[in-house]
C-alpha cells in the first residue's frame, strides 16, 4: 500500500520541491528539542558556603531584550537586559546575578546556604524583544547542602561496676550515617548497643549510641558519613575508664540519693 501511495504522489508531481514536500508528508515529523534546554548538573556544598548556578547562555544579539530568572521553590532573582544594560527586577538578599562581559557569561550566586536550601534550582532565559516571547534557555542544577557530624565520646554513667559509654554524632546532614563500637580494635556486635536518633530544628540529625562495658580496655567509636574523607575513630583509654570508676565509687551515694529524691518527687506529684 505504501508503494501505491508513492506512485500516486509521483504521478502528480510537477516540480522537484513539490514532490519533496509531498513525500515527506508520508513520514512522521519529529521536532528535536534543543538539548541545551534540558541541561542539568549536581553541586555539593557545605552549610554556610556559596554556590554558583550557571545559565550557560550567551546572548548573540545586543538588540534583543530578555529576562533571566532563578527559581527554586519560588522565584529567587530576576533581571532584565534592555539596551545593552542590566536591570535588577527583584532578588532575595542571599542571591545575586553575575554578568561577565569579557566572556559573555551569566550566572547566579546563592550565599550562606542552609540545609533547607537543598533542592533543584532552575535558570530560565526568556526573550521579550522582539515579540512574541520565546524561551531561550532552561537549565536545572540540583544543590545538595551537606554538614559533617560533630563526633564525641564520653562516660555516661555507671550502671554497675563498669561505666556506660556514649558516642554522639551531632548536627549531620544528610541522614545516612554509620556508627559502631570497637573493643581493642574489633567491632562489637550491634545487639550489645542501643541508639537514640533525633531530628534537630535546623533539619540536621543526631545519633547517640550507648554501650554497657564489662571491663576497662580500649573502647572506640567508629563513625562514617558521606561528608568525611575517611571514617572518624575516637577512643576511650583504660585510664579514662578507671578514673571514671573511681569517681563513681567515691560519689556514687550522691548519685543514688539524687536519683531517689527525683523519683520520689515525681511519685508524690502523681499521687497529688
Amino acid at each position: 500500500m505504501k508503494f501505491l501511495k508513492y506512485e500516486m504522489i509521483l504521478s502528480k508531481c510537477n516540480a522537484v520541491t513539490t514532490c519533496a514536500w509531498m513525500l515527506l508528508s508520508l513520514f512522521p515529523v519529529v521536532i528535536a528539542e534543543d538539548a541545551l534546554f534540558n541541561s542539568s548538573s549536581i553541586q555539593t556544598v557545605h552549610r554556610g558556603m556559596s554556590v554558583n548556578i550557571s545559565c550557560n547562555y550567551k546572548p548573540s544579539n545586543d538588540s534583543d531584550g530578555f529576562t533571566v530568572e532563578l527559581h527554586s521553590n519560588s522565584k529567587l532573582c530576576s533581571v532584565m537586559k534592555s539596551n545593552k544594560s542590566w536591570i535588577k527586577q527583584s532578588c532575595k538578599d542571599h542571591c545575586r546575578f553575575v554578568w561577565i562581559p569579557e566572556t559573555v557569561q551569566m550566572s547566579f550566586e546563592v550565599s550562606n546556604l542552609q540545609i533547607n536550601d537543598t533542592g533543584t534550582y532552575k535558570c530560565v532565559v526568556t526573550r521579550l524583544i522582539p515579540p512574541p516571547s520565546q524561551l531561550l534557555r532552561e537549565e536545572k542544577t540540583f544543590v545538595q547542602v551537606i554538614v559533617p557530624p560533630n563526633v564525641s565520646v564520653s562516660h555516661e554513667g555507671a550502671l554497675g561496676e563498669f561505666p556506660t559509654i556514649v558516642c554522639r554524632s551531632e548536627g549531620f546532614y544528610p541522614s545516612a550515617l554509620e556508627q559502631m563500637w570497637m573493643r581493642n580494635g574489633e567491632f562489637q556486635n550491634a545487639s550489645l548497643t542501643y541508639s537514640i536518633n533525633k531530628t534537630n530544628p535546623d533539619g540536621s540529625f543526631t545519633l547517640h549510641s550507648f554501650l554497657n562495658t564489662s571491663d576497662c580496655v580500649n573502647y572506640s567509636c567508629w563513625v562514617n558519613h558521606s561528608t568525611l574523607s575517611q571514617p572518624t575513630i575516637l577512643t576511650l583509654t583504660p585510664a579514662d575508664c578507671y578514673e571514671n570508676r573511681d569517681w563513681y565509687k567515691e560519689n556514687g551515694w550522691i548519685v543514688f540519693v539524687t536519683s531517689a529524691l527525683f523519683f520520689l518527687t515525681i511519685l508524690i506529684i502523681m499521687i497529688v
Side-chain angles (χ1 to χ4, degrees), residues 66-117:
F66 54 87
T67 61
V68 186
E69 297 179 341
L70 181 66
H71 296 259
S72 183
N73 295 328
S74 60
K75 185 189 297 184
L76 298 179
C77 191
S78 176
V79 296
M80 181 174 68
K81 182 179 180 295
S82 179
N83 297 325
K84 299 183 180 181
S85 61
W86 291 97
I87 303 172
K88 183 172 73 172
Q89 294 180 306
S90 62
C91 288
K92 302 291 185 180
D93 292 338
H94 68 301
C95 183
R96 71 183 185 94
F97 177 71
V98 180
W99 166 249
I100 305 177
E102 293 80 10
T103 56
V104 198
Q105 291 179 321
M106 52 190 178
S107 61
F108 290 94
E109 183 185 65
V110 185
S111 60
N112 192 27
L113 288 165
Q114 301 300 312
I115 290 174
N116 57 10
D117 292 320

Side-chain angles (χ1 to χ4, degrees), residues 43 96 101 188-189 213:
Q43 294 198 48
R96 71 183 185 94
Q188 292 288 90
N189 192 319
T213 60

Side-chain angles (χ1 to χ4, degrees), residues 15 17 32 41 50 79 110-111 122 126 146-147 151 153 183 209 250 255 262:
T17 54
S41 61
S50 301
V79 296
V110 185
S111 60
K122 182 170 63 176
T126 306
I146 60 174
V147 187
V151 183
V153 293
R183 178 181 179 276
S209 294
E250 296 175 1
V255 177
F262 174 79

Side-chain angles (χ1 to χ4, degrees), residues 184-196:
N184 284 338
E186 295 184 358
F187 287 106
Q188 292 288 90
N189 192 319
S191 63
L192 301 176
T193 69
Y194 64 97
S195 303
I196 298 176

Side-chain angles (χ1 to χ4, degrees), residues 116-145:
N116 57 10
D117 292 320
T118 295
T120 300
Y121 292 75
K122 182 170 63 176
C123 178
V124 181
V125 183
T126 306
R127 190 186 68 195
L128 301 178
I129 301 173
S133 63
Q134 178 184 359
L135 179 64
L136 302 177
R137 175 75 177 179
E138 182 177 295
E139 182 171 357
K140 296 179 181 180
T141 301
F142 181 80
V143 176
Q144 172 72 71
V145 180

Side-chain angles (χ1 to χ4, degrees), residues 156-187:
E156 182 73 5
L159 299 180
E161 183 181 0
F162 296 97
T164 297
I165 53 179
V166 58
C167 180
R168 300 177 177 88
S169 294
E170 300 180 315
F172 58 88
Y173 190 88
S175 62
L177 179 137
E178 295 177 285
Q179 185 165 285
M180 292 181 284
W181 283 105
M182 302 174 69
R183 178 181 179 276
N184 284 338
E186 295 184 358
F187 287 106

Side-chain angles (χ1 to χ4, degrees), residues 244-263:
N244 187 268
R245 286 182 64 197
D246 293 340
W247 186 91
Y248 274 96
K249 286 180 179 179
E250 296 175 1
N251 302 278
W253 65 273
I254 298 177
V255 177
F256 175 78
V257 172
T258 302
S259 300
L261 289 175
F262 174 79
F263 287 111

